[in-house]
Amino acid sequence: MDTNNLQNNMAQKQSNGYLNVQLVGLQFMFLALYILVVVLSLEGGNSLNIAGVKIGEFDIAFILAGIVTQFVFSMYLFIRWNRTSYRIENNHLIVTSGFMTTESRSINLNDLIAPYARQSLLGKYFGYGTVELAIRFSDSPMYLQGVHNPNGFVKTIRQRANANSTLA
């Protein structure tokens, strides 16, 4: 395999750990909602009327609607994660995302000012983080979320930008 081609074209999908943490957070949110419904249904004499829906007895339709909603959100998170990639080709960082329509943004590495990596506690454990990119002639930074090994990605961006600026 051609190592020069491999080094010149670095592609990366979002981290698996990033997807896992988002899905676990979603699961906990819905679990808390289910517990709330069950607790309200077990209180017996106290019934709660929310928008004309009496929640005092166990409402299986409410639980099923929650499960369907949870499934839809989980699929959305999975598809968004699966359809986002970051790659460095030649002298450009290319960010591709989207499901129904694909959006691709190309940024010259020499236009990036001080790329910075951040990791939360869970991000450190699962090996993902956010890369913040200040772009020359842009008022707002760009955030690449769920980057696997964000410090290594920033290091690669800096190395490629420095190598290209010394060649020019």
Side-chain angles (χ1 to χ4, degrees):
M1 183 174 266
D2 186 12
T3 57
N4 286 337
N5 189 27
L6 187 62
Q7 289 177 349
N8 287 336
N9 298 320
M10 179 185 158
Q12 178 175 345
K13 294 183 70 79
Q14 285 184 316
S15 169
N16 289 340
Y18 178 67
L19 174 67
N20 293 340
V21 168
Q22 286 190 332
L23 290 175
V24 166
L26 183 68
Q27 302 301 326
F28 278 121
M29 182 181 71
F30 277 97
L31 181 63
L33 180 65
Y34 298 148
I35 291 171
L36 177 67
V37 169
V38 170
V39 166
L40 288 175
S41 69
L42 294 177
E43 285 189 359
N46 296 339
S47 63
L48 184 62
N49 191 350
I50 300 176
V53 177
K54 186 177 180 183
I55 304 176
E57 58 236 14
F58 191 75
D59 191 358
I60 193 69
F62 187 74
I63 297 289
L64 288 176
I67 291 171
V68 169
T69 304
Q70 182 178 1
F71 176 76
V72 169
F73 278 123
S74 296
M75 290 308 299
Y76 168 75
L77 289 173
F78 176 76
I79 290 169
R80 188 181 72 180
W81 165 80
N82 194 37
R83 299 293 182 177
T84 302
S85 67
Y86 314 116
R87 62 183 196 273
I88 299 172
E89 289 184 7
N90 302 323
N91 195 27
H92 289 83
L93 170 65
I94 301 169
V95 180
T96 307
S97 63
F99 174 59
M100 299 295 273
T101 60
T102 303
E103 179 181 320
S104 186
R105 183 171 180 188
S106 177
I107 303 162
N108 190 318
L109 293 179
N110 295 325
D111 289 338
L112 298 178
I113 304 167
Y116 175 76
R118 289 183 302 178
Q119 285 183 290
S120 65
L121 184 61
L122 285 174
K124 286 180 184 178
Y125 182 75
F126 286 108
Y128 74 90
T130 299
V131 174
E132 181 178 337
L133 303 170
I135 304 169
R136 190 182 327 238
F137 309 118
S138 177
D139 294 335
S140 60
M142 180 180 200
Y143 298 97
L144 308 179
Q145 295 181 330
V147 176
H148 177 71
N149 186 12
N151 293 317
F153 197 70
V154 166
K155 183 178 178 182
T156 301
I157 289 172
R158 288 181 179 154
Q159 287 174 344
R160 300 272 178 91
N162 289 337
N164 289 324
S165 65
T166 58
L167 294 175

